[in-house]
Amino acid sequence: MKPIRQNVKFDKKLLDKNAVKVVSTIHKAGYEVYLVGGCVRDLLLGLNPKDFDVATNAKPEQVHKLFKRSRLIGRRFRLVHVMFSQRNFIEVATFRSGKVQTAKSGVIVRDNCYGSIEDDVIRRDFSINALYYDVFKHQVIDYVGGLNDISSKEIHMIGDPVLRFEQDPVRMIRAIRFQSKLGAKLSNEIHVSILNQAHLLSHVSPARLYEECVKLFHNEYAFKVFEHLEKYGLLKCLFKQTQKNDFIKKALLNTSTRIKQNKPVTPAFLFAVFLWQAQNEQFSMIKKQQKSFYLAMSQASEEVIIAQIQQVSLPKWLTARIKDIWMMQSKLEKNHPKKVKELLDNPRFRMAYDFLLLRSKSTNPELIEVAKFWTKVQN
Ligand code: ATP
Ligand code: MG
C-alpha cells in the first residue's frame, strides 16, 4: 500500500504542547510516531481538536519506559497514558493489526495484535479518522483517501460497513456524530447498513454507551445528532422512552449555545429532559392508586430510570440529580411565598429553574408567568 503524503504545516499554536513533547521523546528513542485520528481530522478542518492521540510502532512497555509519569492501561487493548497532571494526559497507542478475535455474534472480544502502520490504518473506522501526521516532516499520511473525503465532506467506512458495524455497533453512532459535526454526507453503503443494522446497538454494554451518549449531545450540533439518530432508528436503542418534542429540541439547542459560550453543561440536565415525558406518564398512572404526591413522584422517577439504565447506564450521582430536577418542578410551579428563599438556596435551583424556563418556552406555555417570577426573584 502506497500512501499519499501531503505537506501541511499546522501552526505550532494549534498543536498541543504535551502531545508534541510525547511525540518528540518517542521519536528521539528511534521509533516511528505520529499524531493520529480526530486531532488530524479537526486540524485539517480548522477546528479545535478535543484531544490529541499518538500512534507509534513502540510497544506499550517500551513507551512506558520512556516516561516516568506514565501508566499502562486497558484490558481489551493496552495503551499508555503519559500523565501531565491528574486530568491531563496523552494517550499513546501501539500500531495494531485489524486481526480481531470475534464472538459468534461478530462482536470484537480481543483486539491486541501489534502491527505496522498499514495494519493500524485498516482497523480504524472511517477514512477521515485514519490520517497520520508526521510532526517532524510536516506531512499528513493518507492510505485510505481520508484527505479527499475531508475536502468533499464524505464519510466512508474503511472496509465493509456491514461487517464493521457488526464487529462494533458503536461505530454507527460515531458515523452520525461525525456526519453532524462536519455537515458531511454518509456514503451510500453506510447509510444503507445503518438502516438495516441499527438494532445491533441494543447489544452494546450500557456502560460503554454512557460515555458515547455524552459525546453525542454535549456539542454544538446536538439537535442535528438527535434528529439523525431518530431517522436511522438508533435513538430507540439508546432512549426507548424518549420521543421528540419541542422541549427536547429547545434543550438541545440550549446546550449547544451554552457550549459555544463556554458555559458549563451537565449530562444530568439532558437526561432529565429526555425522560421527563415518560416520567410524567408514569406518575399519572401511579397517582391513580398512590395518594402521596411525593411517593408517586419518587416511584415514577425510579421506574423510568431503571428502564433507562438497561440501555445506557447512568452513574449514581447523575440519577440523583435528575430526580432533584424533577422533584423541584412542582415546588417551583407552586412558588409558595414561604418556600422562595429555601428554593433559591437549594444547590440544584439553577438547573431546576433552567428546566422550568425551557418547559415554559416549549411544551408548557402556561408556566411563562411563574418562570418570569423566578427570573425576577433571583436577581
Ligand atoms: P473526537 O475525539 O472528536 O470524539 P475521534 O475521532 O478522535 O473524535 P476518539 O474516540 O478519540 O474519536 O478515537 C480516536 C481514533 O480512534 C478515531 O479517530 C479512530 O481512528 C479510532 N477509533 C475510535 N473508536 C473506534 C471504533 N469504535 N472503531 C474503529 N476505530 C475507532
Ligand atoms: Mg479524539
Side-chain angles (χ1 to χ4, degrees), residues 215-276:
K215 285 203 222 168
L216 281 173
F217 299 114
H218 276 187
N219 55 54
E220 297 176 15
Y221 40 89
F223 182 59
K224 244 198 252 173
V225 169
F226 185 94
E227 285 196 306
H228 287 307
L229 289 174
E230 197 188 30
K231 179 177 96 185
Y232 281 104
L234 290 162
L235 188 72
K236 60 175 186 278
C237 302
L238 299 169
F239 301 97
K240 62 182 173 199
Q241 304 173 93
T242 300
Q243 246 125 43
K244 188 163 87 184
N245 61 30
D246 201 34
F247 178 40
I248 292 177
K249 178 177 177 176
K250 288 240 164 51
L252 287 166
L253 295 175
N254 181 257
T255 298
S256 296
T257 308
R258 290 181 68 92
I259 287 170
K260 276 183 218 158
Q261 298 169 337
N262 279 324
K263 286 188 186 164
V265 288
T266 158
F269 191 82
L270 275 184
F271 279 99
V273 170
F274 285 0
L275 299 172
W276 178 236

Side-chain angles (χ1 to χ4, degrees), residues 37-38 41 50-51 53 123-125 129 168 171 174 177-178 181 208 215:
R41 176 198 69 220
K50 259 195 299 184
D51 47 34
D53 293 320
R123 68 149 181 111
R124 293 183 184 271
D125 46 11
N129 287 347
D168 182 3
R171 289 171 184 152
R174 287 176 58 84
R177 185 156 64 88
F178 299 128
K181 171 172 175 157
R208 186 161 174 225
K215 285 203 222 168

Side-chain angles (χ1 to χ4, degrees), residues 321 324-325 327-329 331-332 339-353 374:
R321 240 164 250 189
D324 288 346
I325 295 175
M327 198 56 98
M328 277 178 81
Q329 293 309 298
K331 295 181 187 164
L332 292 176
K339 293 278 163 82
V340 170
K341 171 130 187 10
E342 187 190 315
L343 283 166
L344 286 173
D345 290 343
N346 188 314
R348 305 278 167 260
F349 170 79
R350 192 62 218 199
M351 248 194 290
Y353 159 75
W374 287 109

Side-chain angles (χ1 to χ4, degrees), residues 291-308:
K291 284 221 175 69
S292 154
F293 175 87
Y294 177 83
L295 288 179
M297 272 301 274
S298 307
Q299 196 187 329
S301 303
E302 197 58 37
E303 285 174 10
V304 167
I305 285 170
I306 285 173
Q308 178 58 51

Side-chain angles (χ1 to χ4, degrees), residues 267-289:
F269 191 82
L270 275 184
F271 279 99
V273 170
F274 285 0
L275 299 172
W276 178 236
Q277 181 67 28
Q279 200 276 354
N280 282 207
E281 283 162 17
Q282 199 64 10
F283 170 79
S284 303
M285 287 221 308
I286 297 169
K287 192 71 186 67
K288 285 177 194 154
Q289 296 137 32

Side-chain angles (χ1 to χ4, degrees), residues 36-42 48-53 76-77 91 96 108 111 120-126 128-132 157-158 164 168-172 174 177-178 181 208 212 215 221:
V36 67
C39 66
V40 184
R41 176 198 69 220
D42 289 350
N48 224 345
K50 259 195 299 184
D51 47 34
F52 283 75
D53 293 320
R76 197 172 105 182
F77 28 79
E91 191 165 285
R96 288 201 299 276
I108 299 176
D111 177 7
D120 197 65
V121 169
I122 298 195
R123 68 149 181 111
R124 293 183 184 271
D125 46 11
F126 310 108
I128 56 166
N129 287 347
L131 296 168
Y132 296 72
M157 194 98 213
I158 299 172
R164 306 238 37 222
D168 182 3
V170 166
R171 289 171 184 152
M172 294 188 282
R174 287 176 58 84
R177 185 156 64 88
F178 299 128
K181 171 172 175 157
R208 186 161 174 225
E212 293 296 331
K215 285 203 222 168
Y221 40 89

